Amino acid sequence: MRLRVEFTTEPFDLEEAPAHALAARAVIEAAELDAVDVGPFGNTAEGGADSVLTAVDALLRKSLQAGATRISLQVNVVGEDGR
């Protein structure tokens, strides 16, 4: 199964990316995912279910440790592996 995760971390800082946002970005960029898109107000990544779920676990833990007070995420099934 393939999954897509969309997420944001808060609080926002329009002047510079906060530590929790950088931590989340680092997790997603280091994970074995494809179709990664990081931006200032939302991020998406897609991959196999195991890879996405592992990345989401690390993203939650590391973002909270880095000061996030809220993490919004949505996970969607987008197909089967290999499609």
Side-chain angles (χ1 to χ4, degrees):
M1 163 184 337
R2 289 187 57 75
L3 301 176
R4 178 182 300 126
V5 61
E6 301 174 45
F7 66 92
T8 58
T9 62
E10 295 179 39
F12 293 117
D13 183 341
L14 297 178
E15 299 294 320
E16 67 180 83
H20 57 80
L22 296 176
R25 182 179 303 161
V27 167
I28 290 300
E29 289 177 341
E32 295 181 19
L33 302 172
D34 36 68
V36 173
D37 182 26
V38 294
F41 300 108
N43 309 280
T44 60
E46 194 173 302
D50 288 338
S51 295
V52 170
L53 295 173
T54 297
V56 166
D57 177 65
L59 179 148
L60 292 170
R61 293 174 189 278
K62 293 191 183 280
S63 296
L64 290 168
Q65 289 171 352
T69 57
R70 179 180 178 144
I71 302 167
S72 301
L73 67 91
Q74 180 173 327
V75 177
N76 294 298
V77 175
V78 293
E80 294 300 319
D81 283 335
R83 292 184 192 195

